[in-house]
Amino acid sequence: SVERLLKLDPDIVVMMIANPNATDETLLEHRRFWNRLKQLTAVREDRIHFLVGGEHFYTGPGILRLVEALTNQLHHNRGETP
């Protein structure tokens, strides 16, 4: 729920979207949703990330692809090289 999310107040939010054909407009709609929650640290500090594609939902050894994608996304946002 939104109330629980506000209580947690995450520093970073990573939204995973399974549809590999998600359009820029779809991502913009999701961004608009998050931007309404200005109380969240992640929103105020522009740390809302999107991972698009079904490969991020694998289980077993495939989970390493998710770990790599998260690492790359978070380091890229901070201007670092993983």
Side-chain angles (χ1 to χ4, degrees), residues 14-80:
V14 178
M15 184 170 184
M16 296 170 45
I17 301 169
N19 182 356
N21 300 315
T23 64
D24 289 342
E25 182 60 34
T26 299
L27 296 178
L28 185 57
E29 288 174 26
H30 288 298
R31 174 84 51 197
R32 286 183 191 129
F33 166 80
W34 287 107
N35 284 343
R36 288 183 288 178
L37 301 173
K38 295 287 186 199
Q39 308 94 309
L40 295 178
T41 299
V43 174
R44 286 192 317 271
E45 297 184 7
D46 194 29
R47 291 190 298 212
I48 305 295
H49 305 278
F50 300 98
L51 291 179
V52 179
E55 69 272 14
H56 304 301
F57 292 86
Y58 293 149
T59 59
I63 195 79
L64 295 176
R65 291 185 192 134
L66 172 60
V67 172
E68 183 177 357
L70 285 169
T71 300
N72 290 336
Q73 181 69 35
L74 297 176
H75 284 282
H76 174 75
N77 188 60
R78 294 186 344 188
E80 300 173 353

